[in-house]
Structure formats: C-alpha cells, structure tokens
Amino acid sequence: MTDSKEILLEVQQLQKSFGDRIVLNGIDLQVGKGEVIVILGPSGCGKSTFLRCLNGLESVQGGVIQYRGQNLAEGNVDWPEVRQHIGMVFQNYDLFPHMTVIDNILLGPLQVQKRDKNEALQQAEQLLDRVGLLDRKDAYPRQLSGGQKQRIAIVRALCMNPDIILFDEVTASLDPEMVREVLDVILGLANQGMTMIIVTHEMGFAKSVGDRIVFIDQGKICEIATAQQFFTAPATERAQHFLDIFQY
Amino acid sequence: MLMNLDWEFIVESLPLYGDAMWLTVKLAFWGILFSLIIGLLFSVILYYKVSVVSGVIVAYIELSRNTPLLVQLFFLYYGLPKIGLHMSEMTCAIVGLTFLGGSYMTEAFRSGIEAVSKSQIESGLSIGLSKVQLARHVILPQALAISIPSLGANAIFLLKETSIVGAIALMDLMNVAKDLIGMHYKTAESLTLLVLAYLVLILPLSLVLTWVERKVRYAEFGD
C-alpha cells in the first residue's frame, strides 16, 4: 500500500516518556496519502499518546516525525501552522460550549486561516449536510446528543481542509446506540480518500475501515498488518491474546 | 418611631444626599471599571506566566489584599505629596479603589481561567489557534462566565468600600451623614437616610448581577 503512494507522514524511532515512565519506545510508522491506519492495543499502551505527539499536544524526547519537509519532533515547530493540516477529534468532543454549532466550525477557518466568510460558511453547511446536521447549525452544544456533538467535532476538523485527521477514541464516551452514526461518518471519509489515523476499541469498525492495523503494546509496535491479516491470522502471540479478549 | 422623625429636616437634606450619591456612583464606577481592566490584564499575564512581570503582579496582589483601603488612601493622599506627587481627592480615591479592587478582580478572573478545562484548550489548539486567539475565543469567554459571581461580589464590595473616602475629605454619603449628625444632632434622620441611600445604590446592582449570573449560566453550561 505505502509503496505505491506518496508518503504523507513518517515517524522514526519516536520516544516519549512522562518523567521516568517510558510511554513510547521507538515507534516507526509511515502513513501514505489516503491511507486509513487503525491503532489498536491494550489500555495504557501509548496509542493515544502517540496521536497526541503527532500534533504537538505532547512533547517528544527523541526520534523523527517527518511531515512536509520538516521534523515535528524538533523544538522549533510552528504548531498553529502544522495543526491546520493535521486535525484531531477527541473522545469528549470538546465543542466550545459558548458558541453555536456553526460558530464552532467556522472559528478555525475564519480566525486561523482567514478565509472568506461566505466561502467557509458554504463549505461548513455542505459538511453539516453530509453528516445530517444542517438543521442544527444554530444550536448550542448543550442542546445536542453525544453522537451529534461528535459528528459536529468531525465537521469542525474537516472544515480546516486538513491533510490528515487523527481520531482519538472518538466513540468511547458515546452511548452504544450513537456509536454507529459517528462511525458511519468516518467510514464515509475513508471512502472519499481522507488520510486518517484512528485509535479505537471498536474491533468491527477497525476491520472494515482500516487499510492497515497497527498493534501497539507497552510503547512498541508489535505488529503492522492489513486488517484482513490482523483479524484472521495475527502474527504475534500478544496480538492474538488481545483479540481473544474481544471475542466474547 | 417614624412619627418622631423630623421630616422637614429630611426633605431639606435630600439634595445633600443626592450629591453624595452621585459622587459615590462616580467613584464606584471608575474604581470598578479600572479594577476590571487591571484584573483581566493581570490574570492573563499570570496565566501565561510572563516571567518577571508575573512576580511583580503576585507581589502587588499580596500588598493590595493585605493592607486596609484606609491605609492605602492615606499613603496616596498624605504620603505621595512628600515625594512631590500630588493628586486631587477624587483621583486619589479612584486610584486607591483601583489599587484595592485590581487584586480582587485579578483573583476572580484567574479562578475562572483556571476552571476552563484542559481539553477545551487542547480542542482550541487542535484547530490551529494561536495563544492570543485561544485566550480571546476559547478561554476568556468561558472564564468570564465562571467568574461573573465573584466579579459581581467584588463590584459590590468596592461600592461599599467607597464609604471611607471621607477620610481624604471627599463628601461621600458617609461623610455627609457624619456632618449632618455633627451639625444638627439629627442622628436618626441622618442614619436612616444613609442606609436608604446605600440600599438604593446597591440593591439594583445586586439584582442586575443576579440576572446576569443566571443568563450566563444558562447560556454556557449543562449538557
């Protein structure tokens, strides 16, 4: 997969620790344009931390994150610039509670990217329509369900026209009946060729959306495989053990 | 008791109280306004931990909160002229109130800013907001809503504190009442008017603040 396509992001020997505790211990990963990478692993394995390192929410202690000709693991990165291209969606949606849906979405495009208001508004409305929430554009976040809030948060990230979107356990706080509406949106993006790195515990979803599965355990990548391979015949014992826990 | 009051005296004194109320309102207005501006500015500086400036602000807060306003006014009015700095009574009173109120407002804003969750900040960062944009669009609007009750309490506190500016020869409400008692021995009348005058000033302010608190609470919070 990555051979034929342009490499968008390349991580080499990434090191991250909190004090003495090593959280990421030499992660290597190449992300091709249009690729959907799903990161799996037991709780506390460092998968969320890995995502957070990719858009500067965590500092790193070593290694290289190569993106658009610059190394994001170095100290002098212009993160507000980089974050326009590497979007992120969080577990707890984190819409701004004092703004309406449409203001939430337009904050980045208008304030950060200084785009034309009408043009940005048009795109925001198109995106809202695509996730079925155009009629809620003037609502406040508190008036929305969890699933709706998360779909808005995805639109907010999309409206920046990023190269890559990072999804950090975006369905983990949702009621079960709302998980699907959010996953459908992400699957739709995958089909349109959006480059995404997804941390999730939804195995069925990982299987259907992921081009490649990256299995992390104890801060290291144990296994990288196609979704097909990983779920039918994982190469490592640890991955097998992990999957067994989810086979109920 | 009402029958025993000298109503003629009360009516005659009303203009004096009216003037004094106007003075109190002016003092409180400027004192509160400047305190709010200082509080907002200083709390943001403290939040971003601007090295030397933050230290100076912390020292100011301690000095301001741990000395009485009366002492601060004396210092401004009687002390500063010794080193050649003269200010009118009115200016002194406003500077004094601001010196006191600025620290209280800083603390009120700061507690609001600190109450904005880390995930809100990360969410703002993730769409590329700069530090200043983050403060303006994400942190301050939410912090303000959280701070409103204590900002309001501080405003009322400052309005009440104006009652000591008589010490630097300003004819505020308290001073007018004291004068009338001293000159005419009409203690009951003067004090009744004094209490009523403060109530007339503070009750509406208090009601407005309660209304504002309810407004921002409903607009901002709850899932």
Side-chain angles (χ1 to χ4, degrees):
Chain A
M1 180 109 220
T2 49
D3 305 332
S4 57
K5 288 199 173 177
E6 177 194 342
I7 301 293
L8 213 51
L9 182 83
E10 182 166 10
V11 180
Q12 293 163 2
Q13 284 302 303
L14 189 68
Q15 297 281 341
K16 167 73 192 170
S17 43
F18 292 111
D20 292 339
R21 199 164 63 86
I22 296 169
V23 183
L24 298 175
N25 192 5
I27 300 281
D28 293 297
L29 186 66
Q30 288 187 340
V31 183
K33 195 167 167 40
E35 197 179 15
V36 179
I37 289 184
V38 175
I39 302 180
L40 300 177
S43 295
C45 72
K47 51 194 190 303
S48 284
T49 306
F50 175 63
L51 278 196
R52 293 166 58 82
C53 289
L54 296 183
N55 78 344
L57 293 179
E58 301 288 350
S59 61
V60 299
Q61 274 71 49
V64 176
I65 303 170
Q66 201 65 37
Y67 174 71
R68 284 193 169 195
Q70 63 173 327
N71 178 7
L72 304 184
E74 278 176 349
N76 54 351
V77 177
D78 180 4
W79 281 111
E81 158 64 20
V82 173
R83 287 178 182 129
Q84 294 176 42
H85 311 292
I86 304 183
M88 184 150 184
V89 183
F90 300 88
Q91 178 176 339
N92 293 316
Y93 348 115
D94 285 301
L95 297 179
F96 307 122
H98 55 295
M99 294 182 195
T100 60
V101 165
I102 195 76
D103 288 340
N104 261 279
I105 298 168
L106 290 178
L107 183 62
L110 297 185
Q111 296 297 329
V112 180
Q113 298 179 322
K114 314 278 184 214
R115 279 159 59 188
D116 175 65
K117 172 133 202 224
N118 286 326
E119 175 266 326
L121 182 65
Q122 204 181 357
Q123 188 193 5
E125 287 181 345
Q126 266 169 17
L127 290 168
L128 276 174
D129 194 32
R130 221 164 79 191
V131 302
L133 289 171
L134 185 54
D135 58 329
R136 307 312 309 272
K137 76 184 166 102
D138 294 317
Y140 280 90
R142 70 188 158 86
Q143 297 163 320
L144 305 173
S145 72
Q148 290 175 327
K149 278 190 258 196
Q150 196 57 290
R151 282 185 280 161
I152 302 289
I154 294 172
V155 169
R156 185 173 63 178
L158 275 175
C159 206
M160 302 288 290
N161 297 314
D163 292 339
I164 306 174
I165 302 186
L166 313 172
F167 290 88
D168 189 8
E169 304 204 32
V170 294
T171 57
S173 297
L174 294 177
D175 292 334
E177 72 268 27
M178 291 175 182
V179 168
R180 188 170 186 99
E181 66 190 53
V182 171
L183 296 184
D184 281 344
V185 170
I186 302 175
L187 198 59
L189 291 176
N191 292 334
Q192 285 167 14
M194 186 75 213
T195 311
M196 301 187 278
I197 307 179
I198 302 170
V199 167
T200 185
H201 284 293
E202 302 284 337
M203 292 303 142
F205 174 65
K207 201 170 176 176
S208 57
V209 78
D211 293 320
R212 285 192 298 162
I213 305 290
V214 173
F215 178 71
I216 298 184
D217 193 14
Q218 294 174 349
K220 284 187 167 170
I221 293 181
C222 285
E223 187 168 342
I224 300 184
T226 63
Q228 172 72 15
Q229 265 172 0
F230 183 82
F231 285 102
T232 50
T236 59
E237 208 170 298
R238 271 191 281 181
Q240 180 62 60
H241 181 68
F242 175 77
L243 286 175
D244 285 345
I245 295 169
F246 281 90
Q247 309 291 330
Y248 208 50
Chain B
M1 146 95 186
L2 273 179
M3 292 302 116
N4 298 332
L5 289 178
D6 181 344
W7 288 94
E8 201 178 324
F9 173 80
I10 289 178
V11 173
E12 277 171 11
S13 307
L14 279 178
L16 278 175
Y17 277 90
D19 289 348
M21 273 171 86
W22 179 233
L23 179 89
T24 298
V25 167
K26 274 193 289 186
L27 276 179
F29 175 81
W30 292 113
I32 292 168
L33 182 70
F34 290 139
S35 296
L36 283 171
I37 293 170
I38 285 190
L40 186 62
L41 192 69
F42 284 9
S43 59
V44 172
I45 294 175
L46 286 178
Y47 178 73
Y48 284 122
K49 300 190 174 67
V50 183
S51 58
V52 183
V53 189
S54 289
V56 174
I57 291 174
V58 169
Y60 153 69
I61 289 173
E62 292 307 319
L63 182 65
S64 154
R65 282 163 55 107
N66 295 308
T67 49
L69 178 60
L70 189 58
V71 173
Q72 295 167 6
L73 286 179
F74 268 44
F75 180 81
L76 291 170
Y77 192 67
Y78 298 109
L80 287 186
K82 304 274 183 226
I83 56 164
L85 215 87
H86 296 271
M87 287 186 281
S88 72
E89 291 84 0
M90 193 69 188
T91 311
C92 259
I94 292 172
V95 170
L97 273 178
T98 305
F99 184 82
L100 177 74
S103 63
Y104 281 84
M105 295 299 190
T106 302
E107 294 290 53
F109 276 117
R110 191 165 70 154
S111 64
I113 289 174
E114 280 169 5
V116 175
S117 73
K118 192 168 161 256
S119 63
Q120 276 288 310
I121 291 164
E122 290 184 344
S123 174
L125 289 175
S126 78
I127 52 169
L129 293 179
S130 68
K131 265 188 169 185
V132 174
Q133 290 170 331
L134 187 70
R136 178 164 155 231
H137 298 287
V138 178
I139 301 176
L140 288 180
Q142 296 186 57
L144 190 64
I146 300 167
S147 302
I148 287 276
S150 35
L151 293 174
N154 288 345
I156 290 176
F157 160 71
L158 286 175
L159 200 155
K160 290 182 194 164
E161 284 293 294
T162 60
S163 61
I164 65 161
V165 296
I168 55 169
L170 280 168
M171 287 307 279
D172 78 312
L173 281 169
M174 191 69 202
N175 214 5
V176 163
K178 273 200 294 200
D179 253 23
L180 289 177
I181 294 169
M183 287 190 294
H184 306 283
Y185 299 109
K186 300 284 185 188
T187 311
E189 289 81 355
S190 303
L191 290 181
T192 307
L193 281 172
L194 180 63
V195 170
L196 287 176
Y198 273 116
L199 275 180
V200 166
L201 287 180
I202 296 174
L203 263 183
L205 179 63
S206 201
L207 290 174
V208 168
L209 284 169
T210 311
W211 179 79
V212 172
E213 272 172 42
R214 199 175 311 136
K215 255 337 232 195
V216 295
R217 193 164 57 224
Y218 290 159
E220 304 268 342
F221 301 111
D223 281 66

